[in-house]
Amino acid sequence: MMSEIPRPTSRDQFRIAILCALRVESEAVETIFDELYEENDNRFGQDPSDENIYRNGRIGHNYVVLVYMAGIGKCKAMTTTLHLKLSYPQIQLALVVGVCGGLPYGNDGRDIFLGDVLVSDRLVQWDIGTLLPNAFVHKDGPQYVQGRPCRRMETFLAIVKTPDERRRLESLMAEQLEMVQQSLGEQSTTYPGEDKDRLYPPDHLHQHRNLRSCGKCRSCGECEEGNICRKALISTCDELGCSDHAQSCRYRPPGKTYSTPKPALHLGPIASGDTVLMSGDARDQLAAETGVIGIEMEGIGLWEETSCVVIKGVADYADCHKTKQWQRYAAASAASCTKALLLQYTMEPPRINSTGKTPVLHRNVQAGLSRFRFPVHSVLDPFAKVARVSRLSSISDTIKMVDAFHTSSSLWTKVFIVVLAFLVGYLYASVGAAPDEGYSHQLWP
């Protein structure tokens, strides 16, 4: 049984952030928190320059801040992360959670199906390159491939890649998914069905096939054979008869143990960029060149600012048959995977004393005292008393005198100012200012 975990008292105690670009994604993530602190609780505050919207809470032993992005794409992600670091400077790991397009096959030979969850071990920026007359050649230099996550997460993911650990996490994911579905309502996040999970050949287009003899589309009179019109893009595969005209079509086999298949976990590189990929041929070519197992749009915007891992549910196969039918279920799968991972993963524990207060050394005192050094170690304890009462407004006068120590040119003046600053500070500490309980000080690095 998990012992009671005290609430944080400072933004500096948060080490993990979860970023969501779509409302359907953040709604799923909200359900996995073991504790969500009051929405109107303003105790943590926010940097005046920070325009983000947050929810603070706890998942397992980790204090986590949920970040609501203003939109999709790497630019929105970069701006959001820059603002995040203003208010939460101690964030060590960012998780980008939501939905993505998936490759049909993983690097380990396993099939990837809709609703499965992809976890990145690195990111590839795929939409920067050269557009030639008949092809787009993306740049694949090391500067376009993100480094590994932080060492602790890298080690953790290496363990998750082992078959036994992966299967254990998949079992935990299935349990968490049921809880997410109960919280959101099973009707909104229910599994759409194996018959709706269709993978068409990469060259099989999502288009009208009722053509006139001239090759023009009878439905709109504009598109020609081999092209896709806007009207077709908003039509379903059933309406267009994609399955009837496909030479082959992969369906997900029924689950053997469960009434419905449970999401599988796949780890590998994920492509990230601003472009929505809706081409089976381009998807397969990208996978052949880079080895990615999925395509998403936000992760690349974070890599310059913080260590990040992308956790996304597969909502489509990144082809022209893309549909939003699977988004809610895929978002719920990604959220359940995030919960399963965070229950096993723990950042460096935040420093909280027995009273629940966070010991904070007054920045002005720390700055003033760090400007000079004394060779005699025995004076540390009296100065610690001065630091303990740093919240007294009058101590700023002491600091001003310490500052004068550096500007004075007379040796005796310097000695006098140091002695006077010490005596005044010691007097403040001795006349009844009680030290904070549990305070631990460190005046010198």
Side-chain angles (χ1 to χ4, degrees), residues 9 68 117 178 200 242 304 370 414-415:
T9 58
Y68 299 84
V117 181
E178 292 181 2
Y200 298 101
C242 293
E304 293 289 350
S370 64
K414 293 179 181 179
V415 173

Side-chain angles (χ1 to χ4, degrees), residues 104-338:
Y105 311 101
N107 295 329
D108 57 0
R110 294 188 299 150
D111 290 344
I112 296 177
F113 295 101
L114 299 183
D116 286 356
V117 181
L118 311 182
V119 177
S120 68
D121 57 9
R122 61 187 174 92
L123 295 176
V124 177
Q125 188 170 8
W126 73 277
D127 61 348
I128 289 184
T130 304
L131 182 61
L132 301 176
N134 296 319
F136 176 81
V137 181
H138 80 276
K139 295 184 180 295
D140 56 358
Q143 66 270 36
Y144 303 107
V145 178
Q146 183 201 31
R148 304 285 182 179
C150 62
R151 185 173 297 275
R152 185 188 293 258
M153 175 56 76
E154 182 182 0
T155 303
F156 177 73
L157 293 180
I159 298 174
V160 173
K161 286 183 179 180
T162 61
D164 290 342
E165 184 65 18
R166 190 194 69 240
R167 284 190 289 267
R168 190 181 70 84
L169 277 173
E170 288 175 345
S171 177
L172 183 56
M173 281 170 51
E175 297 175 4
Q176 296 299 327
L177 178 58
E178 292 181 2
M179 297 180 184
V180 173
Q181 289 176 322
Q182 291 175 3
S183 299
L184 293 176
E186 292 188 5
Q187 295 301 320
S188 62
T189 57
T190 187
Y191 181 74
E194 293 96 331
D195 60 324
K196 302 297 182 182
D197 187 344
R198 307 167 186 169
L199 173 64
Y200 298 101
D203 58 352
H204 185 65
L205 300 182
H206 186 79
Q207 62 181 180
H208 294 112
R209 292 172 175 82
N210 187 14
L211 303 176
R212 301 188 180 97
S213 57
C214 63
K216 294 286 186 179
C217 177
R218 290 184 182 275
S219 299
C220 64
E222 296 179 0
C223 62
E224 299 178 357
E225 188 174 3
N227 294 324
I228 302 176
C229 67
R230 293 182 178 274
K231 189 174 181 180
L233 286 176
I234 62 175
S235 302
T236 66
C237 286
D238 291 336
E239 292 172 342
L240 297 179
C242 293
S243 299
D244 298 333
H245 293 84
Q247 294 181 352
S248 62
C249 182
R250 186 194 76 175
Y251 291 91
R252 179 167 190 164
K256 298 179 180 179
T257 306
Y258 300 92
S259 57
T260 58
K262 299 303 177 182
L265 177 63
H266 304 268
L267 286 87
I270 293 180
S272 185
D274 278 330
T275 303
V276 177
L277 185 57
M278 295 180 61
S279 169
D281 287 325
R283 173 202 66 202
D284 291 349
Q285 181 181 356
L286 178 64
E289 294 176 354
T290 63
V292 297
I293 60 174
I295 302 100
E296 63 92 50
M297 301 180 67
E298 287 78 39
I300 207 70
L302 281 70
W303 74 357
E304 293 289 350
E305 300 301 326
T306 186
S307 174
C308 75
V309 174
V310 171
I311 304 174
K312 300 255 177 144
V314 179
D316 58 77
Y317 289 117
D319 58 12
C320 55
H321 304 279
K322 174 184 173 70
T323 176
K324 294 184 178 182
Q325 183 179 18
W326 287 82
Q327 277 195 355
R328 288 192 174 276
Y329 178 79
S333 296
S336 66
C337 177
T338 303

